[in-house]
């Protein structure tokens, strides 16, 4: 991340704490986002989309229903991320905005890098290389792929709105396209 982007996101976190949620903590938010990512990715992998209704926006859920049905099993298996298999998490873009009705929103894009043992081919659609890591010795070799995912979390901060974060974008590059 560039120093300017880092400084900009920290400024937005300060604004969130000052004007929307005095107890907001990016560390706590990140912990919750990792848990949500793990749960949602596993449910996607298992095609249990009806269980996502409280976690994912209706628009995203409709798109997922179409895409999941077309995925090969290996790609669907690769969507699942155990919380212990998340190797790195980074905050992406942070936005604060108001809609035409004066409602207040905050959205935070989270980027996840995770290990998955799905049986993916060396080349995936788009001819992009997937990083592979081999664990163990020659007899107990286990191949894992280092995959990425981007999830955008949005919360409405208008007075009287539910204090829940909703996932408004799900991207698993090279898998869920």
């Amino acid at each position: 991340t560039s120093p300017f982007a880092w400084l900009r996101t920290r400024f937005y976190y300060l604004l969130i704490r000052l004007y929307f949620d005095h107890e907001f903590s990016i560390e706590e938010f990140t912990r919750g986002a990792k848990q949500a990512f793990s749960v949602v990715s596993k449910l996607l992998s298992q095609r249990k989309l009806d269980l996502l209704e409280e976690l994912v926006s209706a628009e995203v859920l409709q798109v997922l229903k179409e895409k999941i049905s077309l995925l090969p099993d290996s790609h669907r298996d690769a969507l699942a991320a155990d919380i212990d298999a998340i190797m790195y998490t980074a905050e992406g873009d942070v936005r604060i905005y108001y809609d035409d009705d004066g409602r207040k929103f905050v959205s935070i894009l989270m980027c996840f890098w995770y290990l998955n043992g799905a049986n993916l081919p060396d080349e995936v659609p788009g001819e992009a290389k997937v990083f592979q890591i081999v664990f163990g010795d020659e007899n107990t070799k286990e191949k894992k792929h280092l995959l990425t995912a981007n999830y955008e979390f949005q919360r409405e901060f208008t007075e009287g709105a539910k204090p829940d974060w909703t996932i408004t974008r799900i991207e698993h590059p090279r898998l869920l396209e």
Side-chain angles (χ1 to χ4, degrees):
T1 307
S2 75
F4 176 73
W6 182 86
L7 190 59
R8 184 177 150 272
T9 58
R10 294 307 178 255
F11 177 70
Y12 276 116
Y13 298 148
L14 176 64
L15 290 177
I16 293 168
R17 272 193 301 277
L18 290 174
Y19 296 107
F20 298 103
D21 181 356
H22 300 295
E23 297 177 14
F24 179 81
S25 157
I26 189 56
E27 293 79 15
E28 185 178 323
F29 176 83
T30 300
R31 275 192 299 278
K34 284 172 71 171
Q35 290 174 342
F37 165 61
S38 179
V39 168
V40 169
S41 68
K42 288 177 187 175
L43 291 173
L44 285 174
S45 176
Q46 299 165 1
R47 293 185 181 163
K48 295 182 179 178
L49 302 179
D50 54 324
L51 299 177
L52 295 176
E53 289 179 10
E54 295 294 316
L55 303 170
V56 178
S57 72
E59 298 83 14
V60 170
L61 194 54
Q62 185 58 40
V63 171
L64 289 172
K65 286 178 180 177
E66 296 168 12
K67 289 183 176 185
I68 292 291
S69 65
L70 302 173
L71 280 183
D73 289 344
S74 61
H75 286 196
R76 201 181 72 246
D77 293 343
L79 295 174
D82 286 325
I83 198 158
D84 295 334
I86 300 172
M87 300 286 97
Y88 183 72
T89 304
E91 308 107 36
D93 193 28
V94 178
R95 294 183 304 138
I96 297 173
Y97 58 96
Y98 296 81
D99 71 3
D100 294 336
D101 297 326
R103 298 183 308 165
K104 303 180 272 190
F105 294 91
V106 171
S107 69
I108 301 174
L109 178 66
M110 296 296 293
C111 308
F112 303 96
W113 286 262
Y114 64 102
L115 290 175
N116 183 289
N119 188 22
L120 290 173
D122 288 343
E123 295 293 327
V124 292
E127 298 182 17
K129 204 69 166 144
V130 173
F131 294 102
Q132 296 179 7
I133 301 168
V134 179
F135 295 96
D137 59 22
E138 284 297 315
N139 298 328
T140 61
K141 243 190 322 191
E142 181 183 7
K143 183 168 69 170
K144 297 244 181 190
H145 300 276
L146 181 61
L147 302 170
T148 62
N150 302 311
Y151 281 47
E152 183 177 61
F153 295 84
Q154 180 186 78
R155 179 176 167 193
E156 182 178 350
F157 281 94
T158 307
E159 184 144 348
K162 291 192 318 185
D164 299 329
W165 290 91
T166 303
I167 298 170
T168 55
R169 180 169 54 167
I170 294 178
E171 298 172 342
H172 284 262
R174 299 180 205 93
L175 296 174
L176 194 59
E177 295 181 342

